[in-house]
Amino acid sequence: MELSAKDQQLMQKGSQQPEKLTMEERLNVVRAGVLGANDGVLTVVGVLFSVGAATNNAFTIFIAGLADLLACALSMASGEYASVSSQSDAEKVVVQQEAQRIQMDATAVFNDLSQFYQERGVTRATANQIADQLMQTNPLQAILATKYDVQLGHYVNPWAAALSSMICAALGGAIPLMVMTLIHGHLGMWVAVFATAFASALIGGASAILGHGFIKKAVVRNVIIGLVTILIHYGIGLLF
């Protein structure tokens, strides 16, 4: 069986990113940004409090926080790039495998499509009709959507995820860094605590909205994690 002209055209695009992004592609970039912001806030405030508890030298605290902010941003970017690249490669491999399967064993693909609709309450006869129509028009797009929830020609972008994570990690880490740079001593630490709690609450709420989870639970959990992070690092600073 031959692939449809539309499927062949999309296959030829290879790794080129379409002009119009799907919702999944947009959410992938936003997800990377949320995770980056959360890491930026927690890692930078942790370093600031551990160093701030050990010394009251404002310049030392600033340099330590700035170095950690840059390291965190680059680390999050590289991690996102590696992770999303693996996901993108896996999606492209699936496309190649299913394209070959359509050419070599179209009956198996037809059965997969029919089974998909039967499992959703459609009668076997109707499911076969739907599968037959899809096999005649766009078999590759149909099997990718039903079997893998992948849209042909649309793959997650590792560069977009890396850039989003890096920028948001830097912005998140800049919150406690600016507070403790502008406000010195114990007052600066207390303001940084409240700023971190507020930022953690916003990030927790955003992650819950993206993941369709419980917003209140996510906010409380993220704030507690932020406060515990501060407490642990402050204790380490006092110890040394």
Side-chain angles (χ1 to χ4, degrees):
M1 180 178 182
E2 296 294 332
L3 294 176
S4 67
K6 186 176 181 180
D7 283 346
Q8 292 177 357
Q9 185 180 12
L10 287 172
M11 283 283 292
Q12 291 172 357
K13 287 184 178 180
S15 59
Q16 293 180 357
Q17 202 70 10
E19 293 182 1
K20 188 175 181 180
L21 299 180
T22 62
M23 180 61 68
E24 181 183 357
E25 290 169 316
R26 293 193 184 105
L27 287 178
N28 182 66
V29 175
V30 175
R31 174 203 56 80
V34 169
L35 293 177
N38 194 60
D39 244 42
V41 171
L42 295 184
T43 56
V44 172
V45 78
V47 168
L48 289 173
F49 269 75
S50 59
V51 176
T55 178
N56 58 3
N57 188 294
F59 185 72
T60 300
I61 297 172
F62 171 75
I63 290 298
L66 180 62
D68 184 70
L69 184 150
L70 295 175
C72 175
L74 293 175
S75 175
M76 288 299 297
S78 62
E80 279 294 333
Y81 181 82
S83 175
V84 177
S85 291
S86 297
Q87 181 182 347
S88 179
D89 291 342
E91 292 174 348
K92 294 172 185 176
V93 168
V94 163
V95 172
Q96 296 292 337
Q97 290 176 341
E98 290 300 327
Q100 293 176 3
R101 202 160 72 101
I102 290 172
Q103 301 284 354
M104 300 176 64
D105 192 4
T107 302
V109 178
F110 173 87
N111 292 334
D112 286 345
L113 290 171
S114 179
Q115 185 65 31
F116 173 83
Y117 288 103
Q118 289 181 54
E119 290 175 353
R120 280 149 185 79
V122 178
T123 64
R124 183 174 181 178
T126 303
N128 286 341
Q129 290 179 355
I130 296 174
D132 182 63
Q133 182 64 34
L134 291 173
M135 292 296 291
Q136 296 299 324
T137 54
N138 48 6
L140 184 55
Q141 291 192 69
I143 192 63
L144 289 173
T146 56
K147 191 175 181 180
Y148 303 99
D149 195 24
V150 171
Q151 187 172 342
L152 183 60
H154 291 264
Y155 312 109
V156 289
N157 191 329
W159 287 107
L163 185 62
S164 174
S165 184
M166 180 178 69
I167 292 175
C168 291
L171 292 175
I175 295 174
L177 179 61
M178 287 192 300
V179 169
M180 292 191 65
T181 299
L182 297 175
I183 307 174
H184 304 299
H186 291 291
L187 178 60
M189 286 187 168
W190 278 111
V191 175
V193 169
F194 286 108
T196 299
F198 180 72
S200 297
L202 290 179
I203 295 169
S207 64
I209 292 173
L210 286 175
H212 304 287
F214 298 104
I215 297 178
K216 183 178 179 180
K217 185 177 181 180
V219 168
V220 172
R221 180 174 59 235
N222 228 40
V223 170
I224 291 175
I225 291 174
L227 296 178
V228 170
T229 298
I230 291 174
L231 183 62
I232 292 174
H233 283 82
Y234 186 74
I236 293 173
L238 287 179
L239 181 65
F240 289 96

